[in-house]
């Protein structure tokens, strides 16, 4: 499987008015393989959103390089090609919605890419169906809920037919139902359409659903691997100020108490099975 996004010794600092330029990204080297679902987890200030903005050249490196399907993001002559390959969904959908009708908003990007009108109609319909918003195609975006707006923003990116979508905390400020709806849409985009997904998040439960989890701390990669593998590193994650899912926390505390339980039972079902097995091996003593 080939890498669709590569960062090589990526370094970045925002300009500072007083001459001090704190390092936000400090030597980040990653390969994001095509067709995968990757979550990037970290606290505010860890560098995860800044990393996301480098993936389709919203920001350019202060040092090192970023490549999208082999294209150097610093190559201005290939910027349009690059952004056709990687679409970006921002944290606040209001920053991305530009039209007064949902279907017109979704059509905006394909129109600007020069897609023929007959194909735009098909792309808009397909994109809205993919995010379960086809029934709202004639609605005004400002009347939608926060979760619905985010799904419209995702549809606008899908209509561009990118091979990769980067989503910067798309479930921020949503209630649990809205978060679940958006996450289902993201997973379907990856599983059913084969689109590479990079999800920037600070929610443990969202990160746990990815194929691969990258943990950012102080501008560097603190951990990288399958979610079960990364979340098993409880003490290492605590050192960078991160907790773990409640299932892992419970099993870790049981292990600290001397019980033989697996730390990689990440889902509720896996954790329940681990607890059941433990009880079968250590039945409670009754009077």
């Amino acid at each position: 499987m080939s890498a669709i996004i590569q960062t090589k010794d990526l370094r970045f600092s925002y300009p500072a008015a007083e001459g001090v330029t704190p390092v936000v990204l400090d030597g980040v080297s990653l390969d994001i393989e095509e067709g995968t679902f990757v979550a990037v987890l970290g606290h505010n200030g860890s560098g995860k959103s800044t990393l996301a903005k480098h993936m389709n050249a919203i920001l350019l490196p202060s040092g090192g390089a970023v490549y999208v399907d082999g294209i150097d993001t610093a190559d201005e002559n290939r910027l349009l090609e690059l952004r056709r390959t990687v679409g970006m969904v921002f944290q606040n959908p209001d920053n991305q919605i530009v039209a007064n009708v949902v279907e017109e908003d979704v059509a905006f990007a394909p129109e600007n890419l020069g897609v023929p009108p007959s194909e735009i109609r098909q792309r808009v319909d397909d994109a809205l169906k993919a995010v379960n918003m086809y029934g709202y195609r004639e609605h005004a975006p400002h009347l939608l809920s926060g979760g619905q707006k985010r799904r419209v923003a995702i549809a606008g990116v899908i209509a561009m037919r990118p091979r990769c979508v980067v989503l910067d905390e798309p479930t921020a400020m949503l209630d649990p139902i809205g978060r679940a709806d958006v996450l289902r849409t993201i997973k379907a985009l990856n599983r059913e359409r084969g689109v590479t997904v990079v999800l920037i998040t600070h929610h443990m439960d969202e990160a746990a659903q990815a194929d691969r989890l990258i943990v950012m701390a102080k501008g560097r990669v603190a951990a990288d691997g399958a979610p079960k593998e990364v979340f098993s590193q409880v003490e290492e994650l605590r050192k960078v100020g991160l907790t773990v899912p409640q299932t892992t926390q419970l099993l870790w505390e049981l292990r600290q108490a001397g019980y033989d339980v697996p730390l990689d039972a990440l889902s509720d079902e896996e954790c329940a099975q681990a607890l059941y097995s433990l009880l079968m091996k250590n039945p409670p003593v009754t009077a």
Side-chain angles (χ1 to χ4, degrees):
M1 199 178 297
S2 60
I4 191 167
I5 296 175
Q6 293 178 297
T7 69
K8 296 187 176 181
D9 195 27
L10 171 60
R11 298 183 300 282
F12 183 79
S13 299
Y14 288 102
E18 299 179 3
V20 179
T21 54
V23 176
V24 181
L25 295 176
D26 187 11
V28 176
S29 294
L30 292 168
D31 282 8
I32 306 294
E33 294 183 338
E34 188 156 15
T36 56
F37 176 12
V38 179
V40 181
L41 178 70
H43 278 310
N44 289 338
S46 63
K48 62 185 189 299
S49 289
T50 300
L51 175 62
K53 290 173 183 174
H54 277 82
M55 292 182 177
N56 78 338
I58 293 173
L59 295 175
L60 297 177
S62 303
V66 179
Y67 299 93
V68 171
D69 198 26
I71 302 170
D72 189 333
T73 60
D75 186 350
E76 294 182 2
N77 295 323
R78 302 186 72 183
L79 186 59
L80 183 59
E81 182 183 353
L82 183 154
R83 289 184 175 164
R84 281 176 171 161
T85 303
V86 177
M88 184 91 181
V89 178
F90 298 99
Q91 184 179 132
N92 186 349
D94 291 327
N95 293 338
Q96 224 163 329
I97 293 174
V98 297
N100 294 321
V101 179
V102 165
E103 62 181 4
E104 291 177 2
D105 187 80
V106 177
F108 180 80
E111 286 175 351
N112 280 275
L113 291 175
V115 176
S118 59
E119 185 178 342
I120 289 175
R121 178 73 267 168
Q122 186 63 49
R123 287 195 186 195
V124 169
D125 290 349
D126 286 349
L128 287 171
K129 288 174 183 177
V131 299
N132 293 320
M133 288 296 291
Y134 183 74
Y136 293 85
R137 63 192 180 280
E138 296 180 355
H139 283 53
H142 71 275
L143 298 178
L144 301 176
S145 70
Q148 289 170 332
K149 286 181 180 179
R150 279 173 169 81
R151 282 188 279 158
V152 170
I154 294 171
V157 172
I158 292 174
M160 297 169 63
R161 302 276 173 91
R163 289 159 54 198
C164 176
V165 175
V166 179
L167 305 105
D168 188 6
E169 302 207 40
T171 64
M173 305 300 290
L174 294 183
D175 60 26
I177 294 175
R179 282 182 56 205
D181 284 345
V182 170
L183 198 60
R184 271 195 298 272
T185 298
I186 293 167
K187 290 170 69 177
L189 190 62
N190 173 250
R191 303 286 190 259
E192 297 171 12
R193 296 186 173 229
V195 175
T196 307
V197 169
V198 180
L199 173 66
I200 311 299
T201 184
H202 63 268
H203 291 294
M204 302 291 165
D205 57 333
E206 293 179 6
Q209 297 183 53
D211 301 324
R212 175 184 174 192
L213 174 56
I214 297 166
V215 177
M216 295 291 296
K218 297 181 179 178
R220 297 183 177 183
V221 175
D224 183 359
K228 287 185 177 184
E229 172 191 331
V230 172
F231 282 132
S232 295
Q233 303 170 35
V234 178
E235 294 181 16
E236 288 79 1
L237 291 176
R238 283 183 171 179
K239 289 176 183 177
V240 296
L242 290 173
T243 58
V244 294
Q246 292 180 339
T247 50
T248 304
Q249 180 66 31
L250 172 59
L251 295 170
W252 182 80
E253 290 178 3
L254 286 170
R255 287 188 72 159
Q256 297 302 107
Y259 293 100
D260 182 20
V261 292
L263 278 183
D264 62 354
L266 199 52
S267 70
D268 291 345
E269 294 78 10
E270 291 170 330
C271 182
Q273 183 59 49
L275 295 176
Y276 176 78
S277 298
L278 176 65
L279 287 172
M280 289 300 98
K281 288 189 289 186
N282 302 275
V285 178
T286 57

